[in-house]
Amino acid sequence: MMKLKKDVVIIGAGISGVHAAIAAARGGLDTLLVERDGSVGGISTLGLCNPFMRYWLGTERLVGGVFGEILSELKRRGGLLANSFDSETMKIVYFEKLRAAGVDLVLHSIPVEVYTEGSSIRSARFISSQGIPFEVEADYFIDASGDATFSFMAGAEIFEGDAGGTNQAMTLMFTVSGIDFAKVSEDIKLNKENFFAWVSPRPEVMSVAGYFQEIKAARENGYDKLQDYYFFIELPGEGRASVNTTHSFGRRAADPFELSGAVVDCMAQIDQLMSFAVEYVRGFENARIEKIASIMGVRESRRVKGMYVFSGEDVKSHRKFNDGVVRATYGIDIHSESSQKITQEDRMQVPVYEDYYEIPLRSLISADFENLGITGRCFSSDFSGHSAARIMPTVAAMGQATGSAVSSAISNGIPLSRVEARDIRTFIESGTI
Ligand SMILES: Cc1cc2nc3c(=O)[nH]c(=O)nc-3n(C[C@H](O)[C@H](O)[C@H](O)COP(=O)(O)OP(=O)(O)OC[C@H]3O[C@@H](n4cnc5c(N)ncnc54)[C@H](O)[C@@H]3O)c2cc1C
């Protein structure tokens, strides 16, 4: 069997794992990034997720560093429209940044066995989809799998779902082309009450949610798979949008059968939603499905217990930490069956962003294994804290912080838990948007 020795192995090449790998490699580490799919980016590319949720306060960017570079590169290539981006351009940018940093990337591979010794992970055995096993010994491992798969296999303590163990709803995203945005805009201007109060007819990028009257009419005509609103975000290019409207509730994302059931549910919803849009939504008369995400949009599945469990209270109190390494402002956002029932009060709400909170380095380090970093969707958090911190800019910053922390631990010959947060803050380079 092939055997490798690396400084750090990162499992999962979603936006967080990519940032962790780039930071680790730039920090001088021999870095291996292992990904189960055939491309990188996870939910941010294959999942067709858009746009970047708020990572700025006023004109101040809360996330800089590698994420800032990626934004500039997307812009240079015409793949950025305010905070919405083109998923294929994003793939190219990720690959280019990984290559330039000198990250070793292996696709189509998953871990099958994790070898531990007391509170340390010694090595792991992986297998490729071609059935070729390989073992990697490393000083550090970073779980960026989103589902905490590597930590779960190592035997780390895991949290899952809300107090009753129920995960957030899953959503299969899709993109649409052929939209007439002038008509969409005109419709919003004439029928403001038919949309959420925050929807504007002339923003930099159209983010539209509502169509309450059309949904009511369509339901009366037999459409039985619609949610209470229709939500889409304009994408770079002519007449393109990303639709974030399907929902599969109450299914366990870490169970392969339930996850597959969610895909089946959402495919049926997409089919009906597209017919609805063409028939009822002004500006969608000639629209068609461009792409359906090749992976399910899992908002939350398993989370790893870290040295600190980041909480919803930390979000609400805009808490700052001595070892704060990531800054964010996005609020608690839980997709559950009840949260999708839209009341008049919901429609009138306009989100307010007035301060930031921090995420401490301790919530990026496993409580059980001293050489295990945990980043992205599976970082250490409670259910509601997670719901705020899971957005792309924030998990990108977590990745950079975790990769940099491992590099700092190795170069200073100290444990990960003793790394100085001030050396690795992801907002040091934050700049004006
Ligand atoms: C439907 C939906 C809508 C969202 N909307 C927004 C939005 O509008 N704005 C925003 O900013 N954020 C949004 N988010 C949140 C955000 O997209 C995700 O939380 C974020 O992209 C997660 O990044 P990640 O790198 O932590 O995880 P992922 O993107 O899940 O990446 C994990 C990676 O690990 C790989 N992997 C998994 N298991 C293994 C294994 N065993 N071995 C090897 N590789 C493995 C996966 O293939 C994947 O590439 C949304 C999320 C969802 C689901």
Side-chain angles (χ1 to χ4, degrees):
M1 182 171 55
M2 191 186 349
K3 292 200 177 197
L4 307 171
K5 169 83 183 77
K6 292 281 171 185
D7 293 328
V8 59
V9 180
I10 295 147
I11 298 90
I15 188 169
S16 202
V18 165
H19 277 72
I22 292 169
R26 286 185 185 175
L29 304 188
D30 187 1
T31 305
L32 179 69
L33 178 60
V34 185
E35 168 56 45
R36 73 171 170 204
D37 270 309
S39 192
V40 303
I43 293 172
S44 73
T45 54
L46 305 175
L48 298 179
C49 180
N50 242 297
F52 295 120
M53 281 304 188
R54 189 175 285 253
Y55 59 93
W56 62 90
L57 268 179
T59 55
E60 188 72 21
R61 239 196 233 170
L62 299 173
V63 183
V66 178
F67 180 70
E69 291 173 33
I70 286 178
L71 290 180
S72 305
E73 195 50 30
L74 280 170
K75 194 169 182 182
R76 192 181 72 76
R77 292 167 180 267
L80 190 70
L81 179 68
N83 59 332
S84 107
F85 61 93
D86 177 66
S87 59
E88 308 314 297
T89 313
M90 181 65 127
K91 283 182 194 162
I92 292 172
V93 173
Y94 283 150
F95 271 103
E96 178 49 27
K97 291 268 170 212
L98 289 166
R99 190 199 56 74
V103 173
D104 236 355
L105 171 68
V106 59
L107 298 169
H108 297 296
S109 299
I110 55 168
V112 280
E113 190 86 51
V114 182
Y115 302 103
T116 62
E117 231 170 58
S119 61
S120 182
I121 298 175
R122 201 166 31 83
S123 64
R125 189 157 55 85
F126 295 85
I127 194 155
S128 74
S129 55
Q130 299 91 345
I132 307 291
F134 55 97
E135 190 171 326
V136 193
E137 194 187 321
D139 295 335
Y140 280 90
F141 293 83
I142 298 176
D143 188 343
S145 66
D147 298 326
T149 305
F150 188 79
S151 309
F152 170 76
M153 292 172 76
E157 187 175 341
I158 300 289
F159 310 124
E160 196 171 343
D162 61 12
T166 305
N167 288 141
Q168 283 219 44
M170 292 180 256
T171 291
L172 194 63
M173 303 277 297
F174 64 104
T175 61
V176 172
S177 59
I179 303 164
D180 183 338
F181 276 107
K183 277 193 184 170
V184 172
S185 194
E186 193 58 23
D187 191 16
I188 299 168
K189 237 190 302 172
L190 296 175
N191 301 297
K192 272 227 87 128
E193 73 299 339
N194 198 25
F195 298 88
F196 283 89
W198 50 264
V199 174
S200 153
R202 294 215 188 287
E204 227 180 322
V205 53
M206 300 283 297
S207 178
V208 185
Y211 298 101
F212 308 116
Q213 290 158 7
E214 288 81 355
I215 287 171
K216 187 165 176 286
R219 281 178 169 159
E220 283 164 9
N221 287 328
Y223 281 87
D224 59 352
K225 293 184 170 50
L226 303 178
Q227 308 295 322
D228 280 3
Y229 58 92
Y230 179 50
F231 178 29
F232 57 89
I233 302 104
E234 186 179 0
L235 292 174
E238 263 310 289
R240 300 177 65 224
S242 166
V243 182
N244 181 348
T245 307
T246 65
H247 274 117
S248 179
F249 297 104
R251 292 195 188 260
R252 197 174 158 229
D255 178 312
F257 293 92
E258 297 208 19
L259 176 63
S260 305
V263 176
V264 173
D265 289 349
C266 289
M267 286 300 290
Q269 290 176 34
I270 289 175
D271 189 19
Q272 198 178 89
L273 199 51
M274 202 55 222
S275 305
F276 158 78
V278 170
E279 193 176 342
Y280 289 88
V281 177
R282 260 141 292 171
F284 278 68
E285 296 82 355
N286 298 311
R288 50 190 298 142
I289 292 178
E290 184 188 57
K291 271 188 283 181
I292 298 176
S294 56
I295 58 170
M296 178 46 102
V298 174
R299 290 188 172 80
E300 173 268 336
S301 54
R302 293 183 295 219
R303 313 181 301 276
V304 188
K305 182 177 179 193
M307 294 172 61
Y308 179 82
V309 181
F310 179 77
S311 71
E313 284 310 309
D314 296 331
V315 174
K316 286 190 215 152
S317 62
H318 297 120
R319 188 157 175 201
K320 320 290 190 284
F321 296 87
N322 287 337
D323 65 335
V325 285
V326 171
R327 279 183 185 166
T329 188
Y330 190 62
I332 291 170
D333 178 10
I334 296 168
H335 291 237
S336 61
E337 207 147 13
S338 57
S339 74
Q340 299 308 300
K341 297 285 161 223
I342 303 306
T343 62
Q344 185 60 19
E345 195 189 327
D346 296 327
R347 289 187 198 181
M348 303 311 291
Q349 262 184 23
V350 179
V352 181
Y353 295 95
E354 47 195 13
D355 195 3
Y356 66 85
Y357 49 88
E358 292 182 348
I359 295 173
L361 177 57
R362 284 165 297 150
S363 62
L364 306 176
I365 304 173
S366 155
D368 296 300
F369 295 104
E370 64 214 7
N371 64 339
L372 176 62
I374 43 180
T375 186
R377 276 202 294 120
C378 59
F379 91 111
S380 174
S381 51
D382 72 4
F383 184 69
S384 58
H386 177 275
S387 77
R390 67 192 169 87
I391 63 161
M392 290 179 281
T394 309
V395 300
M398 284 183 210
Q400 180 176 339
T402 314
S404 305
V406 168
S407 152
S408 176
I410 292 181
S411 52
N412 293 309
I414 54 170
L416 192 51
S417 57
R418 292 208 19 235
V419 166
E420 289 284 350
R422 65 169 172 267
D423 293 342
I424 60 160
R425 286 192 167 130
T426 54
F427 43 82
I428 280 174
E429 302 161 73
S430 60
T432 301
I433 55 163

